[in-house]
Amino acid sequence: MSDLLKKIYDQESFRQQGHRLVDLLADHLGASLSEKNQVNHYKEPNDQLDIWKSFLGQDHSSIDYFSDIINGSINLHHPKYMGHQISPPAPIAALSALVTDMMNNGMGVYEMGGPSTAIDRLIPEIIGKAIGYNYQCGGFLTSGGTLANLTCLLTARAQLKDRHIWNEGMGDKKLTLMVSEQAHYCVDRAARIMGLGDDGIIKIPVNDRYQMDVSKLEVYYNEAIDKGLEVFAVVGSACTTSTGSYDDLESIGAFAKSKGIWFHIDGAHGGAVVFSEKYRHIVNGIEQADSVIVDCHKMMMTPSVTTAVIYKEVQDSFTTFSQNANYLFEKNQDKEWFNMAKRTFECTKLMMGVKFYAIIQAHGTQAIDAFVTTLHDNARVFADLVTEHPQFELACYPESNIVCYRLIDDQLDEDALNKLNAGIRRQLLEDGEFYIVQTIIDGKVYLRNTMMNPFTEKKHMERLLETLINYSNS
Ligand SMILES: Cc1ncc(COP(=O)(O)O)c(C=O)c1O
């Protein structure tokens, strides 16, 4: 054994570095929550690349390295972070990440991760209970909402009884699915990965709240049938990414039932609302879905990526990658719930469940309720401030924790308004006091806040609006 390898695995140096690292991160957390640091130190991509290219040639301790990563990264724990939909991780979940990265159990088969395999089964059951499913529900965890949606759509397709696409390929008949035109792009991508092509996804227009216009479902369905397409699934968004609009899940569920097609819900962002006593009603009807996915790394304080895939009937999850033409013959596989790779895209997988489980074992699912409810409340506080302000307008009143709004000015045409809003967003990014993002809806540039940090208060929101106005005047 070389001395180098002995040094790399030295127990005492790990202990010392670990203590210093935890101190560093705790100081960072404190400085962020008390706003003693910035949200962001934005650098152009090529400048960033140069810094890290030259870093290797210089003499740095590992702690210097960690410190530079922390200082150069966007700061999710800062109350002025209101950007993309990703959680400021609960510190206990971050500590779990250290445990899982050290243990590094591969998870593909049970023997390579006993505790994490059991936890991966329990989390979808806990979320399934909050959804309102009965004891037959269940699923697994996977690496992100994109992969989770694709997995569920493959499960939906596997239910077609008259042919076995997994074995025989697509054949002549053309399959399609229905989804709101505001759905996350990964649903479109999933349809194309599945070989469904342009006709394989029917985008239903939205109403003035950017929810799927459910009154159009029947018309679009009939049009598809007339074109010789077979609709195998309908996807509800809970909620959409751009405006955070929750589709009318009860109506979509009733439609799916009437047609005997699979009902899938993309709850990557908003699915966590099932834990909120105050806002649970927004997703009434979610319990009708055949499958639901929820990102724990969005509104459940968990580090990325951790996505729960939950089936109303866990039995269905065994059919997705089933090589047996008649999946009914595979029913016995439920005895094999513990060999996760049979049902997931991943073979080797992160011990992701350990992080979410750490939160609920320490604080209960009421921690998720507190988090989701606060974020939804905050969006309403911010939206009210925007509504009261004569120089701003909302795209629509928020249903989730996402608020889209823009600066308006009677003197400017739409093109100039777009430039103004995109320009001040860019200025904000470079300045680093706040982090918000932008989106385009109906050709108009909107500023977009996702209220991800429960420590964001009204005073931060007021200061943000004031800063935006100052930028627009400068
Ligand atoms: C509604 C929705 N679905 C799916 C995704 C993709 O999830 P992930 O980023 O975990 O792959 C997102 C991401 O923002 C989303 O908002």
Side-chain angles (χ1 to χ4, degrees), residues 85-96:
Q85 306 147 256
I86 192 146
S87 277
I92 190 73
L95 285 177
S96 313

Side-chain angles (χ1 to χ4, degrees), residues 298-440:
K298 290 199 163 73
M299 273 202 275
M300 298 210 255
M301 294 182 272
T302 308
S304 313
V305 285
T306 307
T307 300
V309 178
I310 313 122
Y311 295 86
K312 186 197 253 172
E313 307 276 341
V314 69
Q315 201 61 62
D316 291 332
S317 68
F318 293 92
T319 65
T320 318
F321 304 112
S322 166
Q323 252 114 25
N324 190 324
N326 185 345
Y327 80 88
L328 293 174
F329 293 150
E330 300 272 300
K331 279 205 161 177
N332 277 340
Q333 282 195 357
D334 64 355
K335 294 197 184 91
E336 290 251 319
W337 64 266
F338 42 81
N339 287 324
M340 289 289 175
K342 290 198 170 179
R343 294 183 288 160
T344 60
F345 263 97
E346 302 98 326
C347 175
T348 303
K349 200 174 78 162
L350 291 172
M351 300 165 72
M352 53 185 80
V354 175
K355 301 169 209 169
F356 175 73
Y357 209 69
I359 301 170
I360 58 168
Q361 80 80 32
H363 308 291
T365 54
Q366 59 269 33
I368 311 300
D369 181 350
F371 189 75
V372 180
T373 303
T374 305
L375 302 188
H376 278 61
D377 282 345
N378 277 353
R380 282 147 183 80
V381 173
F382 185 68
D384 290 343
L385 287 175
V386 170
T387 310
E388 283 160 19
H389 204 300
Q391 282 170 273
F392 289 98
E393 73 175 11
L394 286 174
C396 59
Y397 199 77
E399 292 173 43
S400 67
N401 62 333
I402 298 172
V403 191
C404 296
Y405 59 105
R406 62 176 191 156
L407 267 156
I408 44 172
D409 183 336
D410 287 347
Q411 310 299 313
L412 299 179
D413 64 15
E414 285 300 338
D415 198 36
L417 275 181
N418 282 351
K419 285 199 181 101
L420 173 71
N421 282 282
I424 57 174
R425 200 315 281 189
R426 177 74 201 184
Q427 243 181 303
L428 209 59
L429 172 73
E430 288 171 9
D431 177 60
E433 184 188 345
F434 287 91
Y435 183 65
I436 64 168
V437 293
Q438 71 183 47
T439 189
I440 298 178

Side-chain angles (χ1 to χ4, degrees), residues 85 144-146 149 184 186 239-241 266 268-269 295 297-298 307:
Q85 306 147 256
T146 300
N149 280 324
H184 191 264
C186 70
C239 50
T240 61
T241 309
D266 176 0
H269 182 68
D295 276 355
H297 54 271
K298 290 199 163 73
T307 300

Side-chain angles (χ1 to χ4, degrees), residues 246-247 249 273 279-284 376 380 399-400:
Y246 288 91
D247 283 343
L249 303 178
V273 82
Y279 292 107
R280 163 68 173 79
H281 64 92
I282 301 180
V283 286
N284 279 350
H376 278 61
R380 282 147 183 80
E399 292 173 43
S400 67

